[in-house]
Amino acid sequence: MAIDGLTNDDIKHIRDEVNTIAVVGLSPKPHRASHQVALYLQQQGYQIIPVHPQHKTILGLTCYATLGAIPIDVDMVDCFRAAEAMPALVDEVIAIGAKVMWMQLDIYHADAAAKARAAGIMVVMDRCPKIEFPKLN
């Protein structure tokens, strides 16, 4: 079982039920993992919302400084920030009512995950949707 305790069925449920994904820490640089993952998710039909305080647009989309600034509902937050940023970020995820908090590869924060789960949020840690989603086909 994975570090986050989720099964392939759990990941499949996320893949199939999520529509809108906020990508926190999305880079405008095409060689960065966050850019490649967001582009992949966009190509799969998900609505991507870039979140980065230093940019106005990324991938041709309006970029928001914080999750709280996003004017529509967000199903999933894909986190490309250091593990140390997760406790503050989880508060934003809870505040916007996202269903899923996805921490990317090498990002693990047990306390932030526990807080999110206590708020009814599904938590994925140390995984990448660009890797996980295609494995389920």
Side-chain angles (χ1 to χ4, degrees), residues 29-84:
K29 299 174 183 173
H31 67 278
R32 300 294 300 264
S34 62
H35 190 95
Q36 294 170 13
V37 170
L39 183 59
Y40 163 80
L41 291 169
Q42 189 180 46
Q43 291 169 342
Q44 300 308 304
Y46 297 98
Q47 180 179 2
I48 300 302
I49 303 171
V51 179
H52 195 298
Q54 297 172 350
H55 300 283
K56 294 200 183 312
T57 61
I58 300 176
L59 292 172
L61 304 168
T62 300
C63 190
Y64 297 91
T66 65
L67 289 173
I70 299 170
I72 63 170
D73 290 341
V74 172
D75 297 322
M76 180 172 110
V77 177
D78 192 1
C79 309
F80 280 93
R81 301 270 323 277
E84 300 80 46

Side-chain angles (χ1 to χ4, degrees), residues 4-50:
D4 52 27
L6 298 179
T7 66
N8 282 344
D9 285 343
D10 295 324
I11 300 299
K12 187 173 194 273
H13 175 77
I14 292 169
R15 182 196 68 186
D16 295 345
E17 296 300 318
V18 161
N19 293 308
T20 305
I21 303 173
V23 183
V24 177
L26 177 54
S27 173
K29 299 174 183 173
H31 67 278
R32 300 294 300 264
S34 62
H35 190 95
Q36 294 170 13
V37 170
L39 183 59
Y40 163 80
L41 291 169
Q42 189 180 46
Q43 291 169 342
Q44 300 308 304
Y46 297 98
Q47 180 179 2
I48 300 302
I49 303 171

